[in-house]
Amino acid sequence: MTLPWSPSASSAVWSIAVSRLGDAPSAAVGGDSPDDAPVQGRASATDPLLLEQDPQRMLGTASLGKLFLLRAVAERIDRDPETASLLMPRPEGLEVEDSGLWWHLAAPRLAVNDLAVLVASCSDNLAANALIDWIGLQAVQDVARQWVPGGSTLCDFFRDHRGPEHPPEVSIGCAQDYLQVLKDVARATTPALATMRSWLRTGVDHSLVAAAARLDPLSHYHPHGLDCVNKTGCDVGVRADVGVLTSPGGALAYAVIASWGTSAEQESAELVIEDMRRLGGLLVAHLDGAHAVR
């Protein structure tokens, strides 16, 4: 089955991949409850594709590269659990006043685990820089290279101003790679992936594809058991949303990335956001339909 969707934002280029996660019903990727079980289903190689559009096209992905950072940190904690409570200072020379909460707070130091939660929940750039400074950009890039085949990676620290001496994009990637990332997070077959999934459960940005789920962005409550674990990326000329939607009807993973020239920023951004929300509506309807026929 292919979803009947095509973008209306003609100025944007897209990289999209959506697939179901096996045939078995799955619990929501939830909190401290029986629903916290990983998504079950068939192996990823046989997950049926619902939609593809240039899934290997490399684009700027803004904050999506933080997913590789989170796995690198989770693996370090798995090897040495005491590192989770290490207090990290604000990174000198890497201060950034952009997305996130830490730059609004008085705390001069935060624990590694708390920084990871800030990165996952509100895409905190200052927290991300502190973690990159601690674990090393090369270590993050090594995780990306070993995890996905298409070249998706984190390229640099997060900066208020990106100059000619810096990489042009803070992260790059394609839908095929990020679809695999979210499938692995959903299935959580290692302790590090389970930790990463628990951090991502705190995410509050449901403004793009995930908007259709109509979850409370703070509690993720939904009266009919729908849930979403996702990570977004937003920059001038970039919108991206990758995630896993689960419901009593099953689960699906999606990776949706759009990029466009900055000359028509406002108009293009509005159209892309509308397209992403419309696609999200189709994904939710697909899960609802799968539940209805069970």
Side-chain angles (χ1 to χ4, degrees):
M1 177 181 179
T2 301
L3 294 172
W5 179 90
S6 61
S8 59
S10 59
S11 60
V13 292
W14 296 80
S15 182
I16 301 172
V18 180
S19 77
R20 285 191 64 85
L21 295 182
D23 289 333
S26 64
V29 183
D32 299 326
S33 73
D35 284 346
D36 198 37
V39 170
Q40 303 295 320
R42 300 180 297 180
S44 60
T46 59
D47 291 327
L49 281 167
L50 300 177
L51 181 67
E52 271 192 324
Q53 183 169 322
D54 292 326
Q56 297 178 338
R57 183 196 290 268
M58 295 295 290
L59 299 171
T61 52
S63 286
L64 290 193
K66 290 170 181 168
L67 289 165
F68 302 117
L69 171 62
L70 290 174
R71 181 162 186 180
V73 172
E75 289 180 348
R76 178 71 64 86
I77 291 173
D78 184 43
R79 293 193 298 270
D80 183 1
E82 291 185 0
T83 59
S85 58
L86 284 177
L87 292 176
M88 294 290 114
R90 296 172 186 257
E92 186 175 350
L94 294 168
E95 297 85 357
V96 58
E97 296 182 355
D98 200 338
S99 64
L101 291 175
W102 194 14
W103 71 281
H104 294 285
L105 304 179
R109 294 177 178 82
L110 289 174
V112 165
N113 189 82
D114 294 343
L115 292 173
V117 171
L118 285 176
V119 171
S121 64
C122 57
S123 205
D124 195 300
N125 285 343
L126 183 57
N129 280 352
L131 290 174
I132 299 168
D133 193 45
W134 169 62
I135 205 165
L137 182 60
Q138 186 61 56
V140 178
Q141 293 172 340
D142 288 345
V143 164
R145 185 171 56 254
Q146 294 162 12
W147 195 357
V148 294
S152 300
T153 194
L154 181 68
C155 305
D156 194 15
F157 290 88
F158 292 84
R159 306 180 187 276
D160 285 328
H161 304 287
R162 191 158 294 281
E165 70 276 22
H166 303 131
E169 303 285 352
V170 69
S171 79
I172 56 174
C174 64
Q176 179 174 277
D177 282 352
Y178 280 110
L179 188 73
Q180 186 60 53
V181 166
L182 267 297
K183 287 180 180 181
D184 289 346
V185 168
R187 290 187 166 110
T189 56
T190 70
L193 287 170
T195 297
M196 186 178 170
R197 187 190 65 194
S198 72
W199 291 335
L200 289 170
R201 278 218 79 256
T202 67
V204 298
D205 186 2
H206 294 167
S207 62
L208 300 174
V209 176
R214 298 184 179 180
L215 299 174
D216 181 315
L218 302 180
S219 70
H220 287 209
Y221 171 76
H222 190 280
H224 304 299
L226 184 66
D227 198 12
C228 181
V229 173
N230 74 318
K231 180 74 188 76
T232 60
C234 176
D235 202 351
V236 176
V238 176
R239 293 294 186 279
D241 190 352
V242 299
V244 176
L245 283 165
T246 57
S247 81
L252 57 82
Y254 65 86
V256 184
I257 306 164
S259 178
W260 60 91
T262 58
S263 58
E265 170 66 19
Q266 182 173 352
E267 179 182 359
S268 296
E270 290 175 355
L271 289 173
V272 164
I273 291 169
E274 289 178 7
D275 284 338
M276 288 188 170
R277 291 175 176 176
R278 182 163 51 86
L279 176 57
L282 289 174
L283 301 186
V284 171
H286 180 83
L287 287 176
D288 286 345
H291 179 51
V293 299
R294 288 190 183 278

